[in-house]
Amino acid sequence: MYTLFLLSGQSISVLLGRLYYDKGGKSKWLGTVVQLIGFPVLLPYYFIPSLKNLKTNSTETTIYSKPPSTLVHVSVYVSLGLLVVADCFLYSTGLMYLPVSTYSLICASQLAFNAFFSFFLNSQKFTPFIVNSLVLLTISSILLVFETGPSSDSSKVSKEKYVIGLICTIGASAGYGLVLSLTQVAFKKVFKKETFTAVMDMIIYQSLVATLGALVGLFASGEWKGLKTEMEEFELGKVSYIMTLVWAALMWDVFAIGCVGLIFEVSSLFSNAISVLGLPIVPILAVIFFHEKIGGIKVISMVLAIWGFVSYVYQQYLDDLKSKQHEDRNANEASNTSSLQEVNGS
């Protein structure tokens, strides 16, 4: 379920974000707000006892007996929220200046950044397959720098803005990898419990802080003054303008549930790997809906990115196989010990 939420939310929200810019949207800060402001739709969770009881009974796992203080909770939510709003602004800038296919391919580098941060923050072990994955994903992103320019006829941006878009998207990918690793640290070592409620708290409080930060940026930058004109001049009309932003906000929220849920269930690196799994989806849809051109460099970049993802998944398969063998061996040893005790007792 989390995987489905992540993939569908990511693909649809990115396409809607590109549609907003493609048809006349100009506000980077509004694009940032849209990524964050959908969290109130999750609030009914706290008021439906059947949902809370169902999730708590089935998933709650207490890791430590002493819970952290309120100050610690607030510090974590505020810190992560501020990182998220900065990250979303960089993503909005990249999506504004880049064709959506190029943007999506560069975002694959977030897996490499996440693995790098996970090595230091989450004790992630580097194996040959993991290293191979990181190298391929890094090369995949670097190749896009050598493109001669925007690949979409509808993306009328200068070469300078195209380079700014590349830099911002790479920076956003690095920030996203850091946020995921820190989120895993928060679940494992700070909150000291793993429940579905903890997942919801993380999404809602973090989004609240980030949304407030994005709104401050929107008003401080003065971009809010042009929103009325922007809506009136939107090529698809006022209703489409509003619906594009509303549905983008909702789908970003779906993505957040899937992303944080996978961190909660598995790890930040696995969550990021699933995100990269959606890599081929967006460029293909971009060709269909935005008539973008995918040249030789992008094809090579996509192949390398998919190869890097497969390499990572194969390592996950080996780890899972090793874990199962270890569990089976422990179960057999426990069974043999129990049999010996029964024999001795008789």
Side-chain angles (χ1 to χ4, degrees):
M1 182 184 69
Y2 288 141
T3 299
L4 178 62
F5 280 5
L6 190 153
L7 292 177
S8 60
Q10 173 182 253
S11 300
I12 296 173
S13 57
V14 169
L15 290 173
L16 289 174
R18 182 61 239 179
L19 180 67
Y20 163 73
Y21 290 121
D22 202 47
K23 299 302 179 181
K26 301 179 181 67
S27 174
K28 295 186 288 292
W29 278 110
L30 181 60
T32 303
V33 171
V34 165
Q35 295 180 51
L36 303 165
I37 203 169
F39 72 90
V41 300
L42 302 177
L43 293 178
Y45 166 81
Y46 291 101
F47 304 100
I48 303 177
S50 59
L51 279 179
K52 292 192 70 174
N53 293 335
L54 175 62
K55 295 302 180 182
T56 300
N57 292 336
S58 61
T59 63
E60 182 165 346
T61 303
T62 301
I63 302 177
Y64 302 97
S65 58
K66 186 179 179 181
S69 66
T70 302
L71 180 61
V72 171
H73 276 87
V74 172
S75 300
V76 170
Y77 295 140
V78 170
S79 300
L80 289 177
L82 293 177
L83 281 174
V84 166
V85 70
D87 197 47
C88 289
F89 179 77
L90 291 175
Y91 272 131
S92 294
T93 304
L95 191 57
M96 184 178 187
Y97 293 145
L98 295 178
V100 69
S101 54
T102 303
Y103 169 86
S104 300
L105 289 170
I106 295 176
C107 286
S109 64
Q110 66 196 31
L111 182 59
F113 286 115
N114 188 204
F116 173 78
F117 290 121
S118 293
F119 177 77
F120 294 102
L121 299 175
N122 310 127
S123 302
Q124 173 70 39
K125 294 181 180 179
F126 278 5
T127 66
F129 288 108
I130 293 292
V131 173
N132 180 61
S133 174
L134 302 186
V135 171
L136 290 172
L137 289 169
T138 302
I139 295 175
S140 170
S141 297
I142 292 175
L143 279 177
L144 296 172
V145 177
F146 297 99
E147 275 206 311
T148 56
S151 61
S152 172
D153 295 333
S154 62
S155 297
K156 297 179 176 63
V157 298
S158 64
K159 180 65 176 178
E160 290 74 20
K161 289 183 177 179
Y162 184 77
V163 173
I164 291 174
L166 286 174
I167 295 173
C168 286
T169 307
I170 292 173
S173 298
Y176 182 72
L178 176 60
V179 167
L180 290 185
S181 294
L182 290 175
T183 301
Q184 184 176 345
V185 170
F187 276 134
K188 301 291 185 182
K189 298 181 180 180
V190 180
F191 294 155
K192 303 179 180 181
K193 64 177 181 179
E194 293 185 351
T195 68
F196 189 77
T197 299
V199 173
M200 298 296 290
D201 289 344
M202 174 64 78
I203 295 172
I204 290 174
Y205 293 129
Q206 176 181 286
S207 297
L208 175 61
V209 173
T211 299
L212 293 175
L215 289 173
V216 169
L218 178 64
F219 285 97
S221 66
E223 289 185 359
W224 66 275
K225 298 177 182 178
L227 294 183
K228 183 178 179 181
T229 302
E230 182 179 284
M231 181 173 64
E232 293 174 349
E233 296 177 352
F234 195 67
E235 294 181 20
L236 301 179
K238 295 181 181 180
V239 175
S240 295
Y241 178 85
I242 295 173
M243 294 305 294
T244 298
L245 296 176
V246 169
W247 280 106
L250 292 175
M251 295 314 296
W252 276 119
D253 227 35
V254 171
F255 166 78
I257 295 173
C259 176
V260 178
L262 285 178
I263 296 174
F264 160 65
E265 291 288 350
V266 189
S267 70
S268 63
L269 199 55
F270 183 80
S271 176
N272 216 337
I274 295 299
S275 179
V276 173
L277 174 62
L279 170 71
I281 300 175
V282 176
I284 292 172
L285 294 177
V287 172
I288 298 172
F289 293 109
F290 298 109
H291 309 292
E292 294 186 0
K293 300 173 184 177
I294 297 186
I297 291 180
K298 278 189 181 178
V299 171
I300 295 173
S301 177
M302 184 183 296
V303 170
L304 289 176
I306 295 174
W307 184 6
F309 169 77
V310 170
S311 179
Y312 173 80
V313 170
Y314 183 67
Q315 180 60 55
Q316 292 292 317
Y317 165 75
L318 292 179
D319 291 343
D320 185 58
L321 187 63
K322 183 178 180 181
S323 176
K324 288 182 178 179
Q325 290 175 345
H326 181 69
E327 291 176 359
D328 291 341
R329 184 165 57 251
N330 288 341
N332 291 333
E333 290 176 356
S335 177
N336 293 335
T337 302
S338 177
S339 298
L340 288 173
Q341 289 176 346
E342 290 178 0
V343 171
N344 294 333
S346 60

